Structure formats: structure tokens, C-alpha cells
Amino acid sequence: MNNSTLSCAKCGSTSLYKNGHDKYGNQQFLCKLCHHSFKLSHSHKRKNFPFPYPKCTSCDRSKVFV
């Protein structure tokens, strides 16, 4: 991605900082002039369940609550 083609949606300036990532891994930008923070992508990456579902003791299948 070429940084010179990006511009602030609020003021139109091309003077931008890369300002880290959001919790989904999308790049965030900060305008040097008006201090408006924005990102180009609004995709949400699905987070995996942190541990496996417990298994049933009688049938040995994972219990999934829907």
C-alpha cells in the first residue's frame, strides 16, 4: 500500500502516521493535521474459541450450545 495515495477523510491531508492496529489486525492511521484516527479496512477476523469444548462423558462428543 502506497502511503502517498492515502488521505484523511476529515480534512483531506496526506500527512499521516501509521497508528498501530485494532483488535482485529486492521492498520489504523492518524492525521498529523487534524488528529483524526481512521482505518481503511473494516473486516472483522473471527476469533477462535480459546479452549476446546468439553466432551460428554457418556457419548464422547463435544457439546455445542447454540
Side-chain angles (χ1 to χ4, degrees):
M1 183 181 300
N2 189 352
N3 203 15
S4 64
T5 60
L6 297 176
S7 63
C8 176
K10 190 173 181 181
C11 71
S13 171
T14 57
S15 298
L16 305 172
Y17 285 116
K18 284 186 176 180
N19 194 27
H21 294 86
D22 66 3
K23 66 181 181 179
Y24 300 107
N26 299 318
Q27 180 70 56
Q28 293 180 326
F29 296 94
L30 180 68
C31 179
K32 293 179 185 179
L33 297 179
C34 69
H35 304 286
H36 176 68
S37 181
F38 65 96
K39 55 190 164 194
L40 297 178
S41 176
H42 294 287
S43 65
H44 296 285
K45 295 179 183 174
R46 186 175 178 171
K47 293 193 173 196
N48 293 333
F49 199 63
F51 54 88
Y53 289 105
K55 291 192 175 191
C56 176
T57 55
S58 61
C59 67
D60 202 37
R61 290 178 52 193
S62 295
K63 178 73 174 176
V64 178
F65 298 101
V66 180

